PDB file of all heavy atoms in Angstrom:
ATOM      1  N   PHE A 329      70.931 -93.696 -87.448  1.00  0.00           N
ATOM      2  CA  PHE A 329      72.139 -92.996 -87.018  1.00  0.00           C
ATOM      3  C   PHE A 329      73.163 -92.914 -88.155  1.00  0.00           C
ATOM      4  O   PHE A 329      73.798 -91.865 -88.364  1.00  0.00           O
ATOM      5  CB  PHE A 329      72.749 -93.718 -85.812  1.00  0.00           C
ATOM      6  CG  PHE A 329      74.082 -93.179 -85.395  1.00  0.00           C
ATOM      7  CD1 PHE A 329      74.185 -91.994 -84.676  1.00  0.00           C
ATOM      8  CD2 PHE A 329      75.256 -93.853 -85.731  1.00  0.00           C
ATOM      9  CE1 PHE A 329      75.421 -91.490 -84.294  1.00  0.00           C
ATOM     10  CE2 PHE A 329      76.492 -93.363 -85.358  1.00  0.00           C
ATOM     11  CZ  PHE A 329      76.575 -92.173 -84.636  1.00  0.00           C
ATOM     12  N   GLN A 330      73.328 -94.006 -88.886  1.00  0.00           N
ATOM     13  CA  GLN A 330      74.269 -94.003 -90.012  1.00  0.00           C
ATOM     14  C   GLN A 330      73.842 -92.997 -91.082  1.00  0.00           C
ATOM     15  O   GLN A 330      74.671 -92.261 -91.635  1.00  0.00           O
ATOM     16  CB  GLN A 330      74.378 -95.403 -90.606  1.00  0.00           C
ATOM     17  CG  GLN A 330      75.054 -96.411 -89.685  1.00  0.00           C
ATOM     18  CD  GLN A 330      75.089 -97.810 -90.261  1.00  0.00           C
ATOM     19  OE1 GLN A 330      74.280 -98.158 -91.140  1.00  0.00           O
ATOM     20  NE2 GLN A 330      76.007 -98.635 -89.788  1.00  0.00           N
ATOM     21  N   PHE A 331      72.541 -92.958 -91.361  1.00  0.00           N
ATOM     22  CA  PHE A 331      72.010 -92.012 -92.344  1.00  0.00           C
ATOM     23  C   PHE A 331      72.285 -90.580 -91.906  1.00  0.00           C
ATOM     24  O   PHE A 331      72.770 -89.748 -92.688  1.00  0.00           O
ATOM     25  CB  PHE A 331      70.513 -92.245 -92.518  1.00  0.00           C
ATOM     26  CG  PHE A 331      69.833 -91.249 -93.411  1.00  0.00           C
ATOM     27  CD1 PHE A 331      69.755 -91.450 -94.785  1.00  0.00           C
ATOM     28  CD2 PHE A 331      69.255 -90.091 -92.888  1.00  0.00           C
ATOM     29  CE1 PHE A 331      69.130 -90.531 -95.613  1.00  0.00           C
ATOM     30  CE2 PHE A 331      68.622 -89.170 -93.704  1.00  0.00           C
ATOM     31  CZ  PHE A 331      68.561 -89.386 -95.073  1.00  0.00           C
ATOM     32  N   VAL A 332      71.970 -90.269 -90.659  1.00  0.00           N
ATOM     33  CA  VAL A 332      72.156 -88.913 -90.148  1.00  0.00           C
ATOM     34  C   VAL A 332      73.642 -88.554 -90.104  1.00  0.00           C
ATOM     35  O   VAL A 332      74.021 -87.423 -90.437  1.00  0.00           O
ATOM     36  CB  VAL A 332      71.512 -88.773 -88.756  1.00  0.00           C
ATOM     37  CG1 VAL A 332      71.860 -87.420 -88.131  1.00  0.00           C
ATOM     38  CG2 VAL A 332      69.998 -88.933 -88.856  1.00  0.00           C
ATOM     39  N   SER A 333      74.495 -89.496 -89.729  1.00  0.00           N
ATOM     40  CA  SER A 333      75.943 -89.247 -89.680  1.00  0.00           C
ATOM     41  C   SER A 333      76.473 -88.822 -91.033  1.00  0.00           C
ATOM     42  O   SER A 333      77.300 -87.904 -91.139  1.00  0.00           O
ATOM     43  CB  SER A 333      76.682 -90.498 -89.191  1.00  0.00           C
ATOM     44  OG  SER A 333      76.318 -90.827 -87.879  1.00  0.00           O
ATOM     45  N   ARG A 334      76.012 -89.495 -92.083  1.00  0.00           N
ATOM     46  CA  ARG A 334      76.451 -89.132 -93.439  1.00  0.00           C
ATOM     47  C   ARG A 334      75.972 -87.730 -93.811  1.00  0.00           C
ATOM     48  O   ARG A 334      76.683 -86.974 -94.478  1.00  0.00           O
ATOM     49  CB  ARG A 334      75.931 -90.154 -94.455  1.00  0.00           C
ATOM     50  CG  ARG A 334      76.580 -91.519 -94.344  1.00  0.00           C
ATOM     51  CD  ARG A 334      76.249 -92.381 -95.563  1.00  0.00           C
ATOM     52  NE  ARG A 334      74.819 -92.646 -95.682  1.00  0.00           N
ATOM     53  CZ  ARG A 334      74.205 -93.690 -95.136  1.00  0.00           C
ATOM     54  NH1 ARG A 334      74.906 -94.572 -94.426  1.00  0.00           N
ATOM     55  NH2 ARG A 334      72.915 -93.885 -95.305  1.00  0.00           N
ATOM     56  N   GLU A 335      74.779 -87.380 -93.387  1.00  0.00           N
ATOM     57  CA  GLU A 335      74.218 -86.078 -93.746  1.00  0.00           C
ATOM     58  C   GLU A 335      74.917 -84.926 -93.025  1.00  0.00           C
ATOM     59  O   GLU A 335      75.166 -83.877 -93.616  1.00  0.00           O
ATOM     60  CB  GLU A 335      72.721 -86.040 -93.419  1.00  0.00           C
ATOM     61  CG  GLU A 335      71.845 -86.902 -94.313  1.00  0.00           C
ATOM     62  CD  GLU A 335      71.775 -86.388 -95.735  1.00  0.00           C
ATOM     63  OE1 GLU A 335      71.788 -85.153 -95.923  1.00  0.00           O
ATOM     64  OE2 GLU A 335      71.700 -87.220 -96.658  1.00  0.00           O
ATOM     65  N   VAL A 336      75.215 -85.104 -91.754  1.00  0.00           N
ATOM     66  CA  VAL A 336      75.759 -83.978 -90.961  1.00  0.00           C
ATOM     67  C   VAL A 336      77.261 -83.857 -91.077  1.00  0.00           C
ATOM     68  O   VAL A 336      77.813 -82.759 -90.887  1.00  0.00           O
ATOM     69  CB  VAL A 336      75.347 -84.105 -89.475  1.00  0.00           C
ATOM     70  CG1 VAL A 336      73.838 -84.181 -89.330  1.00  0.00           C
ATOM     71  CG2 VAL A 336      76.003 -85.296 -88.789  1.00  0.00           C
ATOM     72  N   GLY A 337      77.958 -84.951 -91.367  1.00  0.00           N
ATOM     73  CA  GLY A 337      79.409 -84.893 -91.491  1.00  0.00           C
ATOM     74  C   GLY A 337      80.079 -84.446 -90.192  1.00  0.00           C
ATOM     75  O   GLY A 337      79.629 -84.763 -89.089  1.00  0.00           O
ATOM     76  N   GLU A 338      81.145 -83.671 -90.327  1.00  0.00           N
ATOM     77  CA  GLU A 338      81.915 -83.229 -89.168  1.00  0.00           C
ATOM     78  C   GLU A 338      81.231 -82.114 -88.386  1.00  0.00           C
ATOM     79  O   GLU A 338      81.657 -81.790 -87.277  1.00  0.00           O
ATOM     80  CB  GLU A 338      83.305 -82.764 -89.618  1.00  0.00           C
ATOM     81  CG  GLU A 338      84.203 -83.881 -90.100  1.00  0.00           C
ATOM     82  CD  GLU A 338      84.373 -84.981 -89.045  1.00  0.00           C
ATOM     83  OE1 GLU A 338      84.665 -84.640 -87.888  1.00  0.00           O
ATOM     84  OE2 GLU A 338      84.190 -86.164 -89.380  1.00  0.00           O
ATOM     85  N   ARG A 339      80.200 -81.518 -88.956  1.00  0.00           N
ATOM     86  CA  ARG A 339      79.488 -80.453 -88.225  1.00  0.00           C
ATOM     87  C   ARG A 339      78.770 -80.997 -86.997  1.00  0.00           C
ATOM     88  O   ARG A 339      78.557 -80.286 -86.031  1.00  0.00           O
ATOM     89  CB  ARG A 339      78.451 -79.777 -89.130  1.00  0.00           C
ATOM     90  CG  ARG A 339      79.026 -78.925 -90.232  1.00  0.00           C
ATOM     91  CD  ARG A 339      77.931 -78.016 -90.792  1.00  0.00           C
ATOM     92  NE  ARG A 339      78.392 -77.331 -91.980  1.00  0.00           N
ATOM     93  CZ  ARG A 339      78.154 -77.712 -93.217  1.00  0.00           C
ATOM     94  NH1 ARG A 339      77.453 -78.816 -93.425  1.00  0.00           N
ATOM     95  NH2 ARG A 339      78.609 -77.038 -94.248  1.00  0.00           N
ATOM     96  N   GLY A 340      78.351 -82.246 -87.082  1.00  0.00           N
ATOM     97  CA  GLY A 340      77.573 -82.805 -86.001  1.00  0.00           C
ATOM     98  C   GLY A 340      76.103 -82.440 -86.132  1.00  0.00           C
ATOM     99  O   GLY A 340      75.679 -81.758 -87.068  1.00  0.00           O
TER     100      GLY A 340
END
Side-chain angles (χ1 to χ4, degrees):
F329 173 77
Q330 292 177 338
F331 175 88
V332 172
S333 297
R334 291 193 297 270
E335 290 292 325
V336 303
E338 290 304 311
R339 290 196 189 97

